[in-house]
Amino acid sequence: SSRTVDGGYVQRVTGLDRAATYRLNARLRCSWPVDKNHQVLIGLDSTGQGDDPKAATIRWTTLPDAYGIWETYTSQPIRPDKDAISVFLRGRATSTSNQPFEADFDDVHLRRVRTDPPDDHPPR
């Protein structure tokens, strides 16, 4: 028989600068080709809320392009509305045809994007 699964993890990152820009980087893989029934998702919420995985404020990205191998992901730039961003990691399968569906995430980190020129190079 077919089984369904929809689960994930959320982490609220606080203490961020509202005027700064950030990007999320991660490595991920899954055990099934991504289609309408099998998805690995990363969501970013600039409001910092982490209680509602169905919130309209979450920008979801479906990944990966291939299955069975580790892929690197870099998000679009994001700025926090206040001082926090929430990161959602999610695996979802509505049909597995008795084959296990696994989603793995590794080396997930949010980094500030440098938007100022380097100090050691004077303007031209």
Side-chain angles (χ1 to χ4, degrees):
S1 69
S2 179
R3 295 183 180 183
T4 63
V5 64
D6 189 351
Y9 175 80
V10 62
Q11 178 68 51
R12 186 170 187 258
V13 183
T14 60
L16 302 178
D17 182 350
R18 185 172 182 252
T21 303
Y22 299 87
R23 283 187 190 262
L24 184 84
N25 294 87
R27 290 181 349 111
L28 54 112
R29 70 178 174 188
C30 66
S31 62
W32 198 283
V34 173
D35 59 23
K36 68 178 184 163
N37 295 318
H38 307 88
Q39 296 151 351
V40 177
L41 302 115
I42 293 180
L44 294 173
D45 193 326
S46 63
T47 68
Q49 76 79 28
D51 296 325
D52 183 5
K54 295 181 181 179
T57 52
I58 303 171
R59 291 190 308 187
W60 289 104
T61 303
T62 303
L63 303 156
D65 293 330
Y67 72 98
I69 60 171
W70 286 101
E71 288 193 6
T72 301
Y73 166 75
T74 301
S75 74
Q76 293 294 315
I78 186 170
R79 284 192 175 177
D81 291 357
K82 294 182 181 174
D83 69 342
I85 292 173
S86 291
V87 177
F88 292 79
L89 307 178
R90 182 177 178 191
R92 181 175 176 275
T94 56
S95 173
T96 59
S97 302
N98 293 324
Q99 296 294 321
F101 177 73
E102 297 174 7
D104 298 313
F105 298 90
D106 189 33
D107 197 23
V108 179
H109 52 275
L110 188 69
R111 290 200 173 136
R112 185 174 178 169
V113 176
R114 287 195 61 171
T115 56
D116 55 330
D119 294 336
D120 59 344
H121 292 85
R124 295 180 187 214

